[in-house]
Amino acid sequence: PANTFGDEAKMQACKACPPGAASPAGSSTPSACACGDPAMQSGYTASGTLECACPRGTQIEGTKCAACPLGTYSGTVGSQACSACPVGTTTLVMGALSSSDCVCAAGFYLNPEHSAAADSTSSGSTKCLTCELLIGGACRGGGNLTAPKLATLPGHWRSGPNATTWHRCLNQQTYAGDADECKAEGATKCQVCRGVDAWPFSSTSASSSSSVR
């Protein structure tokens, strides 16, 4: 069959051409195999085996070079499959070239402790954290959503824009915000909570929120 070779006269089983290579049906020698995509680079190993390599951002699929699927990337020329993005991340377009193209997926937000330099290594902090583990805060995530854009839920406060830990207001009514007034037991000057507001509260949301008397 096509993309194989073998000596029918000697009753030898056909052998497949190397990954990415193609040959006409009825081929009898390995020399009949040739890289099937003009985008491929071809060469030979020390043992004389044909090797086909696809450009960066692609991988071999059959006899063609195909763009890396969403959630994967390839930064080298070769025959290997595209690498998967770290857990909690994906790519925005097909054909990504490096791990730095991996951004937080839906349901995840950017870890404040993560550094961009860690994208090129396997060490360091996790790039994206799941929104499901937030207690007192909420997010939809995706696209490297940063901590300051996380929402503060009613009845909670946090210490600053990059904080990912929330605390309950100590009085029984529902208050919002990160002001000192909200942290004291029996506080009466906290703003009424607006669950969609993130830290810090804008002047617009602050003026529209009422104070508890």
Side-chain angles (χ1 to χ4, degrees), residues 149-191:
K149 294 183 180 180
L150 299 176
T152 296
L153 294 180
H156 296 82
W157 61 271
R158 57 176 168 161
S159 59
N162 288 313
T164 55
T165 300
W166 280 261
H167 311 276
R168 283 187 175 276
C169 291
L170 298 181
N171 44 346
Q172 295 181 357
Q173 299 189 48
T174 301
Y175 298 117
D178 307 286
D180 290 338
E181 292 89 341
C182 295
K183 302 176 185 179
E185 185 172 1
T188 58
K189 295 183 179 180
C190 296
Q191 298 169 323

XYZ file of all heavy atoms in Angstrom, residues 149-191:
329
model
N -8.365 41.730 39.895
C -9.658 41.678 39.216
C -10.572 40.601 39.778
O -11.688 40.408 39.280
C -9.445 41.462 37.711
C -8.758 42.644 37.037
C -8.629 42.424 35.539
C -7.950 43.616 34.870
N -7.809 43.418 33.406
N -10.123 39.899 40.809
C -10.990 38.923 41.460
C -12.085 39.654 42.227
O -11.857 40.724 42.780
C -10.181 38.039 42.413
C -9.062 37.207 41.789
C -8.290 36.471 42.873
C -9.621 36.234 40.756
N -13.266 39.085 42.283
C -14.396 39.734 42.949
C -14.415 39.390 44.433
O -14.087 38.271 44.828
C -15.704 39.304 42.303
N -14.772 40.372 45.249
C -14.981 40.145 46.673
C -16.458 39.845 46.904
O -17.319 40.634 46.543
C -14.566 41.392 47.483
O -13.167 41.606 47.317
C -14.869 41.199 48.962
N -16.747 38.697 47.495
C -18.138 38.303 47.729
C -18.718 39.040 48.930
O -17.978 39.516 49.802
C -18.213 36.797 47.950
C -17.843 35.931 46.739
C -17.951 34.458 47.104
C -18.729 36.246 45.535
N -20.038 39.138 49.006
C -20.673 39.820 50.137
C -20.215 39.248 51.481
O -20.059 38.041 51.637
C -22.164 39.554 49.910
C -22.285 39.357 48.441
C -21.024 38.653 48.031
N -19.968 40.160 52.432
C -19.609 39.741 53.768
C -18.149 39.405 53.965
O -17.778 38.797 54.963
N -17.282 39.802 53.016
C -15.868 39.461 53.098
C -14.992 40.665 52.802
O -15.432 41.652 52.213
C -15.532 38.341 52.107
C -16.225 37.055 52.403
N -17.524 36.815 52.021
C -15.800 35.941 53.054
C -17.882 35.598 52.419
N -16.851 35.053 53.041
N -13.731 40.593 53.203
C -12.737 41.618 52.887
C -11.391 40.931 52.712
O -11.187 39.795 53.133
C -12.650 42.677 54.003
C -12.249 42.113 55.347
C -13.078 41.615 56.306
C -10.917 41.991 55.853
N -12.361 41.183 57.391
C -11.027 41.405 57.139
C -9.657 42.319 55.368
C -9.909 41.140 57.940
C -8.544 42.054 56.163
C -8.672 41.472 57.427
N -10.480 41.619 52.052
C -9.108 41.128 51.910
C -8.141 42.269 52.120
O -8.504 43.439 52.023
C -8.883 40.451 50.566
C -9.186 41.307 49.338
C -8.824 40.549 48.075
N -9.347 41.217 46.877
C -8.887 40.994 45.653
N -7.904 40.128 45.465
N -9.406 41.609 44.602
N -6.896 41.937 52.373
C -5.927 42.937 52.825
C -5.378 43.813 51.719
O -4.815 44.878 51.995
C -4.761 42.245 53.537
O -4.120 41.323 52.667
N -5.487 43.412 50.478
C -4.946 44.230 49.404
C -5.281 43.650 48.047
O -5.863 42.570 47.939
N -4.906 44.349 46.959
C -5.326 43.955 45.614
C -4.755 42.620 45.155
O -5.359 41.956 44.319
C -4.830 45.099 44.731
C -3.699 45.706 45.503
C -4.109 45.587 46.939
N -3.588 42.229 45.678
C -2.988 40.971 45.256
C -3.272 39.823 46.218
O -2.807 38.699 46.003
C -1.471 41.131 45.085
C -1.132 41.955 43.856
O -1.670 41.726 42.781
N -0.234 42.912 44.007
N -4.023 40.105 47.269
C -4.346 39.057 48.246
C -5.350 38.087 47.641
O -6.283 38.477 46.954
C -4.906 39.675 49.518
N -5.143 36.815 47.891
C -6.071 35.801 47.407
C -6.716 35.048 48.572
O -7.247 33.954 48.407
C -5.359 34.802 46.479
O -4.234 34.234 47.161
C -4.884 35.500 45.210
N -6.627 35.649 49.758
C -7.294 35.115 50.944
C -8.281 36.153 51.450
O -7.929 37.323 51.625
C -6.281 34.782 52.048
O -5.359 33.808 51.565
C -6.996 34.235 53.282
N -9.505 35.748 51.676
C -10.543 36.643 52.169
C -10.913 36.272 53.603
O -10.722 35.136 54.032
C -11.788 36.562 51.287
C -11.704 37.356 50.032
C -12.217 38.601 49.784
C -11.086 36.946 48.802
N -11.935 39.002 48.503
C -11.242 38.008 47.867
C -10.403 35.813 48.401
C -10.759 37.946 46.571
C -9.896 35.749 47.105
C -10.084 36.808 46.208
N -11.450 37.275 54.326
C -11.893 37.078 55.702
C -13.342 37.523 55.811
O -13.774 38.442 55.112
C -11.027 37.899 56.665
C -9.555 37.713 56.437
N -8.839 36.668 56.966
C -8.677 38.445 55.698
C -7.580 36.765 56.588
N -7.459 37.824 55.820
N -14.068 36.886 56.717
C -15.460 37.275 56.925
C -15.543 38.543 57.765
O -14.756 38.733 58.683
C -16.231 36.163 57.633
C -16.617 35.006 56.734
C -17.526 34.042 57.458
N -18.009 32.995 56.581
C -19.057 33.124 55.781
N -19.737 34.260 55.750
N -19.443 32.128 55.008
N -16.489 39.411 57.446
C -16.770 40.550 58.309
C -17.284 40.004 59.638
O -18.029 39.028 59.681
C -17.825 41.457 57.677
S -17.227 42.332 56.215
N -16.893 40.639 60.737
C -17.200 40.087 62.048
C -18.587 40.470 62.557
O -19.077 39.857 63.497
C -16.133 40.533 63.053
C -14.717 40.039 62.726
C -13.746 40.514 63.791
C -14.689 38.518 62.638
N -19.193 41.481 61.957
C -20.560 41.812 62.366
C -21.540 40.998 61.523
O -21.194 40.454 60.497
C -20.836 43.312 62.232
C -20.301 43.853 60.928
O -19.524 43.204 60.268
N -20.718 45.041 60.550
N -22.759 40.898 61.958
C -23.681 39.964 61.338
C -24.285 40.471 60.043
O -24.774 39.683 59.243
C -24.806 39.629 62.331
C -24.300 38.878 63.568
C -25.437 38.542 64.516
O -26.578 38.913 64.291
N -25.109 37.820 65.587
N -24.279 41.771 59.832
C -24.845 42.286 58.604
C -23.833 42.142 57.468
O -22.673 41.861 57.683
C -25.263 43.747 58.782
C -26.331 43.907 59.861
C -26.891 45.304 59.872
O -27.241 45.831 58.826
N -26.989 45.900 61.048
N -24.296 42.332 56.252
C -23.455 42.131 55.077
C -22.735 43.412 54.706
O -23.358 44.408 54.362
C -24.309 41.668 53.880
O -24.962 40.458 54.229
C -23.435 41.430 52.672
N -21.396 43.368 54.780
C -20.584 44.527 54.454
C -19.573 44.166 53.376
O -19.298 43.005 53.109
C -19.845 45.034 55.694
C -20.760 45.496 56.792
C -20.778 44.867 58.020
C -21.625 46.571 56.572
C -21.636 45.285 59.021
C -22.479 46.992 57.566
C -22.489 46.351 58.786
O -23.339 46.751 59.773
N -19.011 45.202 52.784
C -18.041 44.979 51.721
C -16.745 45.680 52.012
O -16.668 46.534 52.879
C -18.600 45.519 50.402
N -15.744 45.306 51.289
C -14.587 46.166 51.190
C -13.376 45.718 51.954
O -13.372 44.727 52.664
N -12.315 46.495 51.806
C -11.030 46.175 52.383
C -10.558 47.286 53.314
O -9.394 47.358 53.672
C -10.019 45.966 51.260
C -10.532 44.951 50.257
O -10.534 43.764 50.592
O -10.946 45.360 49.166
N -11.500 48.161 53.703
C -11.149 49.258 54.594
C -11.035 48.766 56.027
O -11.610 47.754 56.405
C -12.211 50.362 54.508
N -10.273 49.508 56.855
C -10.083 49.112 58.252
C -11.409 49.017 58.991
O -11.563 48.202 59.897
C -9.164 50.111 58.961
C -7.733 50.012 58.474
O -7.373 48.931 57.939
O -6.989 50.986 58.618
N -12.370 49.860 58.593
C -13.652 49.870 59.282
C -14.360 48.521 59.190
O -15.200 48.183 60.009
C -14.569 50.963 58.700
C -14.095 52.377 58.982
C -13.148 52.875 57.909
O -12.593 52.028 57.178
O -12.952 54.096 57.799
N -14.027 47.732 58.152
C -14.709 46.459 57.951
C -14.098 45.338 58.779
O -14.673 44.261 58.869
C -14.658 46.059 56.481
S -15.554 47.161 55.388
N -12.936 45.583 59.362
C -12.205 44.505 60.016
C -12.538 44.363 61.499
O -12.272 43.329 62.103
C -10.703 44.736 59.849
C -10.268 44.824 58.388
C -8.789 45.159 58.268
C -8.385 45.372 56.823
N -6.950 45.724 56.695
N -13.115 45.411 62.068
C -13.364 45.394 63.509
C -14.722 44.784 63.823
O -15.702 44.975 63.101
C -13.295 46.814 64.057
N -14.770 44.060 64.914
C -16.036 43.467 65.330
C -17.025 44.574 65.683
O -16.679 45.547 66.356
C -15.818 42.558 66.537
C -17.060 41.802 66.962
C -16.758 40.777 68.031
O -15.581 40.676 68.445
O -17.692 40.087 68.429
N -18.238 44.436 65.198
C -19.257 45.445 65.442
C -19.102 46.668 64.562
O -19.668 47.716 64.853
N -18.328 46.541 63.481
C -18.122 47.681 62.588
C -19.456 48.200 62.070
O -20.363 47.435 61.766
C -17.240 47.272 61.422
N -19.562 49.525 61.980
C -20.828 50.121 61.525
C -20.636 51.066 60.346
O -21.592 51.652 59.873
C -21.481 50.914 62.677
O -20.563 51.927 63.123
C -21.844 49.994 63.817
N -19.404 51.209 59.856
C -19.162 52.157 58.776
C -18.766 51.475 57.471
O -18.323 52.126 56.542
C -18.070 53.142 59.191
C -18.459 54.028 60.363
C -17.367 55.029 60.672
C -17.773 55.935 61.844
N -16.710 56.918 62.167
N -18.901 50.170 57.434
C -18.543 49.464 56.203
C -19.574 49.743 55.118
O -20.745 49.962 55.400
C -18.494 47.965 56.448
S -17.224 47.482 57.617
N -19.122 49.669 53.862
C -20.041 49.820 52.748
C -20.884 48.564 52.611
O -20.442 47.468 52.936
C -19.261 50.035 51.445
C -18.429 51.306 51.454
C -17.484 51.327 50.266
O -16.969 50.308 49.882
N -17.271 52.508 49.710
